[in-house]
């Protein structure tokens, strides 16, 4: 039964309870008009469990964040809670009764199977090993009814603790846990509802969190970035923070001088951070190296303008960025903006459904200088060269249309930051421009008699076959008097680019089959 004195009633408000599969926060303890006895007013995490918003028969006893998420229950319906120390003991310590029961079960299995398949280990072996609390490094009591710390000084090696979906309800309790376990570096508080501490309480708790480096606060209904920054003053050495699914919509820079100065990894997936100012504010975090913005409703990202040879003064150390499950409007435009980041090396994003995955890869690799991994796959140097070549060809026509207008060319380079540096390496893309000249079906050839040195010039159709060309040569040069046989001539194409001779040895093929071009020389 819950105590009924006024002071104890006040202490209960804010505490967490779990009834069946439903968790909630106590918002009221006391009598309800026209009823007998004491009632507990609860705001349920799941509104489907509620019946009202804290008002009963026209009298308001408490308020709820979500409509109709509150109800009144009797204290006897609330199951008992336990301390963290008790929960760890129950999960990690094998008692004599447990061992005796396990041994009896194993013997029964052996009897039924008529075989000694299992070794029944003595209590002194298992109990001695499992009871070494001082050696525990990673502990999870998730979903346990824990609402207090208890004595924890025996945990001398514990580094990681998962108390997600428990009944912890204020930061003073969490601070007590941290203070008793000076080796603790990682803490998971997901799916808990913690009462917001006062500024004075935050100041008093700072020293208790001085070892905390990684904190997970998934689904904690934080709702406000400024409130998170205020809380972060308690965690001066925090390096990794997960805030997944916390209804955060607007991010501001206020308070950065006092908090999050050492934060390297930040998970903000499943929030609503999608406006330009909020992304800029995230970019002001001084030590941030990894950021997840998956599923935030981001349609586009635009950074401040800067020359294609420079980078923006945002996300100075950011190397890894996750942008999956966002309705990106223009991926090419996004990749161009991400090229402005000074340190980006790893990018994860959904492929553009409008093009092939290979084209998406080509676009991102060709657009973002310095990118080392895309969607967790390493980018080899050959892929980078090929992707830049693809971009070089893709935008050749657009470049040609603006190259003689300084303002239009500047705008083109702004929209395609990669193009100037690709041109520095590959040169002008003029060869990929469509040929607007009238295409001729005739070739001007130089025909060279290698034995006599005589050369003649002749215009012939591109699709003339070699047998016809050979007959033409005989007519032009005549039949050599010293030819002993009437066999075919040996024709060769002089390749000017590679300075080699290519045999033209199939009389049924045409000149265009051998890629013979205008002004080429054929030797016989």
């Amino acid at each position: 039964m819950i105590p009924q004195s006024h002071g104890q009633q006040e202490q209960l408000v804010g505490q967490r309870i779990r009834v069946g599969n439903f968790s909630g926060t106590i918002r009221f303890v006391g009598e309800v008009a026209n009823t007998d006895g004491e009632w507990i007013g609860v705001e349920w995490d799941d509104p489907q469990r509620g019946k009202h918003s804290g008002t009963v028969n026209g009298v308001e006893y408490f308020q709820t964040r979500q409509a109709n998420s509150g109800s009144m229950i009797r204290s006897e319906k609330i199951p008992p809670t336990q301390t963290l120390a008790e929960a760890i003991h129950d999960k990690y310590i094998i008692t004599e009764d447990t061992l005796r029961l396990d041994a009896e079960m194993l013997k029964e299995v052996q009897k039924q199977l008529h075989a000694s398949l299992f070794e029944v280990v003595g209590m002194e072996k298992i109990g001695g090993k499992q009871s070494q609390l001082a050696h525990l490094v990673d502990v999870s009591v998730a979903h346990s009814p824990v609402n207090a710390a208890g004595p924890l000084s025996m945990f001398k090696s514990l580094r990681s603790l998962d108390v997600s979906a428990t009944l912890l309800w204020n930061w003073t309790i969490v601070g007590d846990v941290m203070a008793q376990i000076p080796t603790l570096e990682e803490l998971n508080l997901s799916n808990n509802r913690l009462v917001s501490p006062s500024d004075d309480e935050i100041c008093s708790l700072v020293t208790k969190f001085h070892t905390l480096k990684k904190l997970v606060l998934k689904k904690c209904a934080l709702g406000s970035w400024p409130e998170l920054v205020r809380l972060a003053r308690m965690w001066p050495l925090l390096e990794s923070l997960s805030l997944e699914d916390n209804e955060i919509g607007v991010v501001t820079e206020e308070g950065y001088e006092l908090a999050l100065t050492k934060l390297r990894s930040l998970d903000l997936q499943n929030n609503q951070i999608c406006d330009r100012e909020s992304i800029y504010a995230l970019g002001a975090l001084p030590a941030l190296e990894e950021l997840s913005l998956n599923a935030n409703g981001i349609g586009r990202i635009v950074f401040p303008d800067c020359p294609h040879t420079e980078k923006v003064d945002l996300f100075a150390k950011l190397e890894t960025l996750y942008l999956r499950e966002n309705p990106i409007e223009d991926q090419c435009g996004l990749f161009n903006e991400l090229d402005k980041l000074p340190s980006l090396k790893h990018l994860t994003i959904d492929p553009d459904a409008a093009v092939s995955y290979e084209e998406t890869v080509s676009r991102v690799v060709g657009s973002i200088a310095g990118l080392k991994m895309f969607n967790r796959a390493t980018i080899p140097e050959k892929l980078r060269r090929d992707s830049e070549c693809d971009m070089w060809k893709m935008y050749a026509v657009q470049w040609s249309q603006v190259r003689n207008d300084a303002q239009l060319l500047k705008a083109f380079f702004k929209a395609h930051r990669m193009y100037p540096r690709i041109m520095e390496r590959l040169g002008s893309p003029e060869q990929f421009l469509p040929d607007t000249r009238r295409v001729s079906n005739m070739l001007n050839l130089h025909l060279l008699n290698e034995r006599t040195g005589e050369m003649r010039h002749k215009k012939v159709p591109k699709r003339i076959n070699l047998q016809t060309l050979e007959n033409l040569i005989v007519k032009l040069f005549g039949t050599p008097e010293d030819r002993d046989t009437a066999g075919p001539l040996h024709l060769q194409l002089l390749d000017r680019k590679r300075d080699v001779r290519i045999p033209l040895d199939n009389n049924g093929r045409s000149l265009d089959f051998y890629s013979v071009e205008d002004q080429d020389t054929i030797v016989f």
Side-chain angles (χ1 to χ4, degrees), residues 163-433:
V163 284
S164 58
T166 58
L167 302 180
L168 293 177
W169 63 283
N170 68 48
W171 287 100
T172 299
I173 298 172
V174 180
D176 187 13
V177 172
M178 293 293 303
Q180 292 192 63
I181 311 176
T183 56
L184 193 58
E185 296 180 351
E186 301 179 5
L187 184 62
N188 188 343
L189 287 169
S190 298
N191 291 285
N192 287 303
R193 300 290 189 273
L194 301 173
V195 176
S196 179
S198 66
D199 288 344
D200 289 341
E201 288 174 325
I202 288 176
C203 291
S204 66
L205 288 170
V206 171
T207 57
K208 297 186 178 182
F209 289 93
H210 69 280
T211 62
L212 186 62
K213 293 183 179 180
K214 180 178 181 179
L215 178 61
V216 183
L217 294 173
K218 178 181 178 181
K219 292 186 177 180
C220 288
L222 295 175
S224 165
W225 180 261
E227 172 64 9
L228 180 279
V229 174
R230 194 178 72 89
L231 294 174
R233 289 155 52 189
M234 292 188 291
W235 321 313
L237 300 181
L238 193 67
E239 296 179 358
S240 176
L241 177 61
S242 176
L243 299 172
E244 180 182 349
D245 204 354
N246 269 288
E247 303 173 13
I248 298 172
V250 177
V251 177
T252 62
E253 294 184 38
E254 184 178 357
Y256 283 2
E257 67 278 2
L258 299 174
L260 305 176
T261 58
K262 298 186 180 300
L263 190 67
R264 298 170 56 192
S265 177
L266 178 59
D267 185 352
L268 285 167
Q269 61 182 314
N270 290 311
N271 285 284
Q272 298 98 40
I273 302 168
C274 56
D275 64 284
R276 180 185 304 191
E277 289 72 20
S278 292
I279 293 176
Y280 285 8
L282 292 174
L285 290 169
L288 193 62
E289 297 176 1
E290 180 179 24
L291 174 63
S292 174
L293 288 173
N294 291 340
N296 267 267
I298 298 172
R300 61 199 300 259
I301 295 177
V302 179
F303 292 118
D305 288 340
C306 65
H308 66 267
T309 55
E310 299 178 7
K311 304 290 185 178
V312 294
D313 294 327
L314 294 170
F315 295 107
K317 296 185 178 181
L318 186 69
E319 295 186 357
T320 304
L321 178 62
Y322 300 93
L323 289 174
R324 284 192 178 277
E325 299 179 58
N326 283 298
I328 303 298
E329 299 168 4
D330 175 14
Q331 275 202 349
C332 289
L334 172 67
F335 299 154
N336 187 68
E337 292 299 315
L338 295 180
D339 182 60
K340 297 177 182 178
L341 300 183
S343 303
L344 187 63
K345 292 182 174 61
H346 305 159
L347 176 65
T348 301
I349 191 172
D350 295 324
D352 188 344
V355 300
S356 67
Y357 185 75
E358 290 74 16
E359 186 168 343
T360 297
V361 172
S362 181
R363 289 176 176 181
V364 67
V365 175
S367 297
I368 304 177
L371 200 65
K372 303 297 183 184
M373 295 186 71
F374 178 61
N375 286 353
R376 303 184 184 277
T378 301
I379 299 171
E381 189 57 34
K382 183 180 184 303
L383 175 59
R384 183 178 306 283
R385 292 195 304 269
D386 291 346
S387 298
E388 290 181 348
C389 188
D390 290 342
M391 302 296 283
W392 185 50
K393 299 175 184 178
M394 181 186 303
Y395 294 108
V397 173
Q398 293 185 37
W399 166 81
S400 70
Q401 293 170 345
V402 301
R403 56 179 166 173
N404 296 320
D405 187 311
Q407 291 301 317
L408 292 178
L409 185 62
K410 180 179 180 182
F412 174 79
F413 286 155
K414 175 182 175 181
H416 308 287
R417 288 170 52 88
M418 95 301 286
Y419 218 71
R421 65 172 178 264
I422 293 178
M423 288 180 63
E424 287 179 6
R425 187 171 71 84
L426 300 178
S428 170
E430 291 187 21
Q431 59 184 295
F432 300 107
L433 300 179

Side-chain angles (χ1 to χ4, degrees), residues 464-468 470 488-489 491 502-511 513-514:
I464 188 174
N465 62 39
L466 296 184
Q467 181 62 59
T468 304
E470 183 175 325
L489 298 176
L491 306 182
I502 300 174
L504 306 180
D505 49 10
N506 189 333
N507 282 358
R509 294 292 189 181
S510 62
L511 293 179
F513 173 79
Y514 288 99

